[in-house]
């Protein structure tokens, strides 16, 4: 089991298949997300406008996973986000987007 998310490091946590996974918006993670999703400021603008897609949310979460447990695929992460509902994913997304803007 991995260590819990550390808010002081800008980390958030999301439950996937009963396990809490830490998301860290590190430089490498954000570069990978930006390569896939386009400029981060545009991503934030889409989120503010309510136009961020489920696929974009899962992609950001996927790239920000601090550790990927064995057997976890991006599809399984997406299924977990869907099963947990957007209400559960929104605080995690908000924290990550806040870190992108704040630069912690």
């Amino acid at each position: 089991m991995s260590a819990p998310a550390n808010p002081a490091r800008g980390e958030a946590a999301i439950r996937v298949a009963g396990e809490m996974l830490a998301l860290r918006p590190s430089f490498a993670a954000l570069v990978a997300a930006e390569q896939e999703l386009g400029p981060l400021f545009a991503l934030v603008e889409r989120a503010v406008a309510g136009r961020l897609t489920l696929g974009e949310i899962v992609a950001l979460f996927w790239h920000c996973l601090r550790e990927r447990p064995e057997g976890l695929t991006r599809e399984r992460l997406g299924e977990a986000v869907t099963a947990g509902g957007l209400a559960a994913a929104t605080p995690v997304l908000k924290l990550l987007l806040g870190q992108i803007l704040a630069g912690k």
Side-chain angles (χ1 to χ4, degrees):
M1 179 184 253
S2 63
N6 182 349
R9 294 188 76 172
E11 295 178 350
I14 189 164
R15 183 171 301 281
V16 175
E19 183 178 351
M20 292 302 287
L21 301 180
L23 303 172
R24 178 185 300 162
S26 67
F27 175 76
L30 295 178
V31 167
E34 190 171 50
Q35 287 175 344
E36 178 178 343
L37 301 170
L40 295 177
F41 282 114
L43 181 76
V44 171
E45 287 174 349
R46 287 193 304 278
V48 168
R51 294 183 293 121
L52 203 60
T53 67
L54 179 59
E56 289 174 318
I57 294 169
V58 171
L60 180 63
F61 287 4
W62 178 255
H63 290 295
C64 289
L65 279 171
R66 190 178 64 200
E67 298 173 18
R68 292 186 186 146
E70 187 175 328
L72 180 65
T73 64
R74 191 160 163 168
E75 183 177 348
R76 287 189 65 209
L77 176 61
E79 294 290 334
V81 169
T82 302
L86 288 178
T90 298
V92 177
L93 177 63
K94 183 178 176 182
L95 191 128
L96 290 178
L97 293 176
Q99 294 302 324
I100 289 169
L101 291 173
K104 284 191 176 185

